[in-house]
Amino acid sequence: MPSPSALSWSMIAVALGFAGLAVLGVLGVRVWIEVRRLGVQVARTSQRISEATGDLERAATDLARTSGSLPAQRR
């Protein structure tokens, strides 16, 4: 039969191992939540960039259409 001190050390090791796994689990969930939040922000930013690109294309088209009516510039 193992001695009482060896049994207590093994119980402490099991408890610390379980606590370590619990901490890693909590941190893993927090990372997963932040990754999802970052993904939402990236999608939102991508949408805003697409809208800005469309606005820039429309402005460039309007500028190209009206450029013929502008007086010629001298160098």
Side-chain angles (χ1 to χ4, degrees):
M1 179 170 265
S3 67
S5 72
L7 189 59
S8 66
W9 279 109
S10 63
M11 294 295 283
I12 290 173
V14 168
L16 287 176
F18 179 75
L21 287 175
V23 167
L24 287 175
V26 168
L27 292 176
V29 168
R30 289 181 66 184
V31 167
W32 179 74
I33 290 170
E34 290 302 320
V35 166
R36 285 185 50 108
R37 188 175 296 159
L38 178 62
V40 168
Q41 288 177 354
V42 167
R44 192 177 307 144
T45 302
S46 176
Q47 180 65 32
R48 290 178 67 192
I49 289 172
S50 294
E51 291 170 2
T53 301
D55 292 345
L56 184 60
E57 287 176 357
R58 282 189 294 278
T61 303
D62 292 343
L63 181 62
R65 204 176 290 132
T66 59
S67 65
S69 63
L70 297 176
Q73 294 181 351
R74 293 187 180 173
R75 293 183 185 198

